[in-house]
Amino acid sequence: MRVIGYTYPWDLTEDPWRRDRVLGLGLDAVAVAGAYHAVRAATSTHPRQRTKVASHAAFYRPVDPSRFGTLVPRPAGWTESADAFGETVALLQGAGVPALAWTVLSHSSELGGRHPDHTVVNAFGETYPWALCTSHPDTLALAAALVSELSAGHQLDGYVLEAVGHLGFEHGGLHDKTMSYSALERSLLSTCFAPCCREARGTDADDDLAAAVREAMQPGGAAGHPDADLAGVLGAERTDLLAAGQERAVGGMAAAVAEVLPPSVEVHLPASPDVHASGPFAPVGPALRGLPAGTAPFAAAWGSLDKIETQVRTLVEASDGAPVGAYLTYIEPGAPPLAEQVARAAEAGASSVHLYHLGLCSAAQLDEVAALVQSLR
Ligand SMILES: [Zn+2]
């Protein structure tokens, strides 16, 4: 069982206590946020602050605009170093810990806000500033540039590629009051009708698809029925059209990134077994078809032990023999003991666990990680 931890750059570059603790854990690899969305993070052992407010999506290295296209990420203004990512990689590798670049590809309210013509648009014509349309060539160029620039000057050991595929309706960055929408309605609202996605699916068929989505979401419409599902509401033909669109959009982004990945790096993919999935966890089939052989998808395995088992098993079944991992949290109140989570994930077929999160957790929770790693050695 491989054990991979997650961290923000400031957790190691600004917090000596945590840095020493993390470097001594004996982890197989640590993923460091290099291109990352906005966040308000706990910094419970930082010598000078107790919260870190990353007020916009940022690139944690110096930004050279000439290396990017139309979409140029902003650097972070809240880290003590301009190359916080690069320094963290050097700290990890200097201590013999492989370093992975945790790279968020299509989620940036900062870029979506500045470039509304590059965002996801729903069937009602509403733009989602937090979500870049992954059929747009400029989004592909951004993804490729982020990946290239993170490895500039470093021999990274690998990448965690988050949001290979567009984000949809879900967005944790606002005070959400959307609880009345069902999972199906959220899925319908997540379908992208931006020009590039429409063009890729074929405009005539797309007018019909958008009308069907709107119809299903009228008061008393089919989407509101508790037993409704996508194919039942849209019909098999339109559902297949959507799946083919996902294949092109997600597969296209995966292929664009694969072209610039350094040779022989390990690649980890937050993934969903559902071809219609939107969000950080990309549809596993199309994404794996674009990414290099050996890419390891991993499942969102948060919650009860039974839920962990189901999530991992379902992804294993959808992943065509790829080595599957489990994304586990031990920082949520009420989370099962980490050792039990790992045991259940292994039973379900996981060969790696991704531990969220070495910077956000308490000192006692770091002890839990240390005990886990010792027990596995
Ligand atoms: Zn789109």
Side-chain angles (χ1 to χ4, degrees):
M1 176 65 77
R2 297 192 73 219
V3 184
I4 298 165
Y6 283 67
T7 182
Y8 298 131
W10 55 80
D11 296 322
L12 272 65
T13 56
E14 299 178 18
D15 182 347
W17 183 89
R18 192 167 293 259
R19 177 194 64 216
D20 293 346
R21 197 82 182 81
V22 167
L23 294 182
L25 283 172
L27 294 162
D28 293 300
V30 169
V32 186
Y36 199 76
H37 53 73
V39 64
R40 184 169 75 98
T43 50
S44 62
T45 54
H46 192 292
R48 291 171 292 283
Q49 51 192 155
R50 283 295 168 270
T51 53
K52 186 69 92 173
V53 179
S55 54
H56 58 77
F59 190 64
Y60 286 91
R61 306 202 71 184
V63 175
D64 175 355
S66 72
R67 311 284 295 181
F68 291 87
T70 304
L71 302 175
V72 183
R74 270 174 73 185
W78 46 84
T79 51
E80 293 176 4
S81 161
D83 190 9
F85 171 81
E87 286 184 17
T88 310
V89 168
L91 282 170
L92 287 165
Q93 292 181 332
V97 183
L100 313 179
W102 183 7
T103 315
V104 177
L105 296 172
S106 70
H107 175 21
S108 171
S109 302
E110 205 281 318
L111 283 169
R114 278 197 282 137
H115 299 274
D117 50 339
H118 286 67
T119 67
V120 168
V121 180
N122 72 16
F124 295 84
E126 299 157 336
T127 58
Y128 293 165
W130 56 88
L132 297 169
C133 173
T134 49
S135 297
H136 200 299
D138 289 345
T139 306
L140 303 186
L142 168 72
L146 291 173
V147 166
S148 300
E149 287 297 282
L150 285 172
S151 65
H154 290 284
Q155 286 207 313
L156 291 177
D157 297 285
Y159 286 81
V160 174
L161 298 174
E162 184 172 314
V164 180
H166 72 257
L167 269 74
F169 178 71
E170 299 297 342
H171 179 234
L174 299 172
H175 298 280
D176 250 356
K177 307 291 180 188
T178 59
M179 52 290 270
S180 62
Y181 286 131
S182 66
L184 174 60
E185 287 170 321
R186 290 163 190 277
S187 178
L188 292 171
L189 286 172
S190 296
T191 299
C192 184
F193 290 91
C196 292
C197 277
R198 287 174 62 89
E199 198 176 308
R201 284 192 299 257
T203 307
D204 286 350
D206 226 55
D207 287 342
D208 164 70
L209 179 62
V213 170
R214 290 193 298 269
E215 176 67 25
M217 292 201 66
Q218 292 307 307
H225 193 279
D227 297 327
D229 64 15
L230 203 59
V233 164
L234 296 179
E237 206 171 309
R238 295 191 193 99
T239 305
D240 288 348
L241 181 67
L242 273 182
Q246 286 282 82
E247 184 73 44
R248 272 189 293 270
V250 177
M253 178 165 245
V257 168
E259 264 185 40
V260 297
L261 282 169
S264 310
V265 290
E266 56 183 277
V267 181
H268 300 271
L269 172 79
S272 164
D274 180 6
V275 73
H276 300 291
S278 59
F281 290 76
V284 70
L288 284 187
R289 282 189 274 283
L291 289 168
T295 293
F298 60 95
W302 291 21
S304 68
L305 295 175
D306 286 346
K307 193 172 171 203
I308 289 169
E309 176 162 356
T310 304
Q311 300 285 350
V312 173
R313 220 177 268 292
T314 315
L315 189 62
V316 167
E317 285 161 9
S319 295
D320 204 19
V324 166
Y327 200 25
L328 304 175
T329 182
Y330 55 101
I331 60 172
E332 299 292 314
L338 182 57
E340 290 179 25
Q341 294 189 45
V342 173
R344 190 64 81 90
E347 271 175 43
S351 54
S352 62
V353 287
H354 297 249
L355 303 185
Y356 188 89
H357 177 296
L358 302 175
L360 297 174
C361 70
S362 67
Q365 288 166 330
L366 276 176
D367 290 341
E368 198 180 2
V369 175
L372 170 76
V373 175
Q374 273 197 334
S375 75
L376 293 171
R377 297 294 175 250

